[in-house]
Amino acid sequence: MLIVMLLGIYAFQNDWSGGPGVQGPVMTWGNRFWQCWNVNYANPGILSLVATFVTPGNWVLRFSDPGGVHHYQGFQSYDIDGDGDKDLVMLSGDIVRWYEFVANWTYIPHDIVNLGTLTWDGYAGIWPGDFDGDGDGDVVVADAGWGDPDGRLVLCRNNGTFWTTTTITTASRSRVLAADFDNDGDLDLISSNRNWWDVAGIWYYQNDGSGNFTESVIYIPAMDDVWRLAIGDLDGDLDLDFVATACQWGGTWANVFLNNGSGVFTRFQVGPDLVCVDGMWLNDIDRDGDLDITLANYDDAPNPFEALLNDGTGLNYSLVILSGDAQNYTDGSIARDMDLDGLPDIVGSYLDLGYFRQTAPWPTFTEYHIASFWNSHWVYPDDADQVSCTPDIDIFATREGANEIYENRVNSAFAPFGWLESSILQLHAVSDSGGAISYLGWGYGTCIPNDTAVAIYWRMGNTVAEILAASWIGPIFLPKGTGADSVFLGTPCKKYFQYKIELRGDRVNNEIATQG
């Protein structure tokens, strides 16, 4: 994560997965940047040199919790205790549980609360985040139960040494995701429900910054179901939108909800020719600079994996078949770059767990089976082996009877050198008049392999032309391994700021440079 501080106000960037093309000036970096060469940015939170040669390797089961239920969603990593490493967050039976990271593949379990009704129908979801702004990781749980009053949306608040729970609503909720939809610096919620036991719909919960939420209705469908939610900037206006999909006896739909920047959403239906969408996620699957909607159709659909390709407006999409003969993988699915070659792949689960590797020509996806995986509806790729600082993408998955992590053993060779330039960040409303002084510095938190060099450069200016003509200052070489540091840059009161990251492998093979 890169941080710029100006008079106590922080701008930070810890995700580049939105891709290049934004020169700026911008008021916030978000997940976009200006340009790069030989750098893979496809996975949130990770930069690496592009893999130039890939040999898919073995996958090893590294973690298993016995409490998985088939329709549970949200098992993932998050720094719950604020110590800088990734812990695990999950639903385990009726228990909300987190596992404290000790060392690679070694964790200590901690039970947060037993909610008692999660396993009644198995439709429940969990999402972590710092919802009250105190620096600790909290979790929100959606529980369909058997409908009102057994269903609920619950905030489990981490107070550092103990947990408290607050019921946000007693209505049935089956899915929940978190993001800052109104751009006020705290995490809001969207939550949906199937109507087997209660009203189907999508609701917005606006956070006041302290973990108190105000509910409003976003959409109540005429038909009877909402299955999946996914968040991302679909129209390129730097605020967060979302997509909802359904698979119902009365018809299937995908709806885009575009945000006006204040948490007010406008619905647009897309994909009228869909078969029966089950798994769904957002990624720039065709690498054209905007987020697309990857779709996994129900297990007997003729075209299991499809995509709605975005034209950049967030309104117009074209339907493309990505892979046939993949019916055993389509209940849980997500698009991530599993081999770090710069092309997003598809990870899927249902009766099997595996991924479909994207290669040229577009669209070519090749199946790689990982394990038999009975009745799974959730997969989530992330880098779980943290000590080595090698950002291979592992797989978190939930099935009937277990929450499990599979370690990625892919073998790759990487480009020897690459760089990325940020968007130009605007620091001041006006240029320095000569009377203002600001203290400009930055910090970084990194996990860098031992035989990889990562260097940071920066430059400043009072106009865009000035900053683009300026020479880069630096380099600062970031330390190997896991660590954080900060650098004081002096007191220039410049209007614009830009940074550059250079990644250089000390060996071309067997090592990946990473920032994130």
Side-chain angles (χ1 to χ4, degrees):
M1 177 170 66
L2 297 174
I3 303 171
V4 171
M5 185 273 287
L6 178 70
L7 293 177
I9 300 174
Y10 292 85
F12 66 91
Q13 184 159 26
N14 58 5
D15 183 10
W16 299 263
S17 61
V22 179
Q23 183 186 62
V26 298
M27 301 303 296
T28 180
W29 278 314
N31 66 353
R32 303 293 304 277
F33 57 92
W34 170 219
Q35 56 188 351
C36 68
W37 181 70
N38 273 350
V39 169
N40 177 15
Y41 52 83
N43 295 310
I46 294 174
L47 292 181
S48 74
L49 291 166
V50 169
T52 56
F53 180 80
V54 177
T55 302
N58 296 323
W59 292 78
V60 179
L61 177 62
R62 286 292 201 170
F63 171 87
S64 185
D65 171 275
V69 176
H70 58 289
H71 279 290
Y72 281 2
Q73 295 192 13
F75 170 41
Q76 61 186 280
S77 63
Y78 189 84
D79 185 8
I80 290 293
D81 52 7
D83 62 355
D85 51 46
K86 297 178 181 179
D87 309 303
L88 308 180
V89 181
M90 69 191 68
L91 301 176
S92 181
D94 287 325
I95 297 170
V96 183
R97 177 174 292 162
W98 74 283
Y99 279 80
E100 180 183 357
F101 176 84
V102 177
N104 269 0
W105 315 116
T106 302
Y107 301 89
I108 300 173
H110 301 275
D111 291 351
I112 297 172
V113 63
N114 188 328
L115 291 179
T117 61
L118 296 177
T119 58
W120 285 7
D121 72 351
Y123 287 96
I126 188 171
W127 207 260
D130 182 7
F131 296 104
D132 53 9
D134 65 353
D136 298 315
D138 314 304
V139 295
V140 173
V141 179
D143 176 15
W146 279 352
D148 188 5
D150 298 313
R152 61 191 126 170
L153 187 66
V154 176
L155 171 63
C156 299
R157 192 188 303 263
N158 181 1
N159 295 287
T161 57
F162 64 96
W163 292 79
T164 57
T165 59
T166 302
T167 299
I168 300 171
T169 180
T170 56
S172 182
R173 300 288 182 264
S174 55
R175 303 288 178 253
V176 63
L177 298 178
D180 183 8
F181 289 107
D182 55 3
N183 293 301
D184 65 350
D186 52 47
L187 291 173
D188 311 301
L189 308 174
I190 53 171
S191 185
S192 65
N193 190 50
R194 310 186 68 183
N195 85 332
W196 288 16
W197 312 114
D198 209 337
V199 176
I202 306 168
W203 291 264
Y204 174 53
Y205 294 87
Q206 187 176 34
N207 191 351
D208 69 355
S210 299
N212 304 306
F213 296 92
T214 301
E215 178 186 279
S216 58
V217 175
I218 297 176
Y219 179 58
I220 303 295
M223 293 180 284
D224 62 358
D225 222 341
V226 179
W227 277 28
R228 300 280 180 170
L229 301 171
I231 297 170
D233 180 8
L234 292 160
D235 54 3
D237 63 354
L238 302 182
D239 52 48
L240 292 173
D241 316 299
F242 74 92
V243 177
T245 56
C247 177
Q248 328 173 65
W249 306 122
T252 294
W253 49 260
N255 284 334
V256 168
F257 295 82
L258 297 184
N259 185 1
N260 73 349
S262 301
V264 177
F265 301 93
T266 303
R267 180 180 68 90
F268 301 91
Q269 183 167 333
V270 297
D273 299 324
L274 302 180
V275 179
C276 184
V277 176
D278 195 339
M280 184 270 293
W281 208 260
L282 305 182
N283 199 302
D284 185 7
I285 194 75
D286 59 357
R287 308 312 289 159
D288 67 348
D290 50 47
L291 286 178
D292 309 304
I293 306 170
T294 57
L295 306 170
N297 293 314
Y298 198 62
D299 59 357
D300 59 353
N303 301 314
F305 288 115
E306 298 178 319
L308 290 169
L309 301 182
N310 187 357
D311 70 354
T313 67
L315 298 174
N316 303 308
Y317 296 82
S318 56
L319 186 64
V320 174
I321 297 172
L322 300 181
S323 177
D325 193 25
Q327 287 84 356
N328 285 355
Y329 297 95
T330 57
D331 276 25
S333 70
I334 188 170
R336 287 282 170 83
D337 184 4
M338 303 304 294
D339 49 22
L340 303 178
D341 64 354
L343 300 175
D345 311 299
I346 299 172
V347 182
S349 68
Y350 174 41
L351 302 179
D352 291 306
L353 176 67
Y355 79 103
F356 291 74
R357 182 176 178 233
Q358 183 181 169
T359 56
W362 162 265
T364 302
F365 290 84
T366 303
E367 175 187 351
Y368 290 90
H369 182 267
I370 295 174
S372 297
F373 214 69
W374 173 253
N375 211 354
S376 170
H377 296 258
W378 175 257
V379 289
Y380 192 86
D382 196 6
D383 180 16
D385 45 346
Q386 303 169 61
V387 173
S388 67
C389 294
T390 302
D392 52 354
I393 308 302
D394 311 302
I395 295 178
F396 295 62
T398 297
R399 61 174 173 85
E400 188 66 40
N403 296 296
E404 295 182 334
I405 303 177
Y406 285 80
E407 182 188 9
N408 186 354
R409 294 289 185 87
V410 65
N411 298 306
S412 302
F414 296 90
F417 175 75
W419 52 263
L420 178 145
E421 293 182 6
S422 75
S423 303
I424 297 171
L425 181 71
Q426 181 172 327
L427 303 174
H428 294 282
V430 296
S431 301
D432 180 25
S433 63
I437 295 177
S438 60
Y439 293 86
L440 180 62
W442 67 354
Y444 46 83
T446 65
C447 191
I448 299 175
N450 287 332
D451 52 0
T452 302
V454 177
I456 299 291
Y457 300 81
W458 68 95
R459 58 188 179 185
M460 294 166 281
N462 278 325
T463 67
V464 171
E466 180 183 339
I467 196 172
L468 292 177
S471 299
W472 292 101
I473 303 170
I476 296 174
F477 290 97
L478 303 191
K480 311 292 186 180
T482 302
D485 202 352
S486 59
V487 178
F488 176 62
L489 303 181
T491 60
C493 193
K494 298 290 187 180
K495 187 174 181 179
Y496 299 115
F497 178 90
Q498 186 184 28
Y499 70 82
K500 179 181 180 180
I501 298 175
E502 285 187 352
L503 309 177
R504 189 185 304 271
D506 293 343
R507 293 201 309 266
V508 174
N509 294 300
N510 304 322
E511 199 47 69
I512 306 169
T514 163
Q515 176 75 30

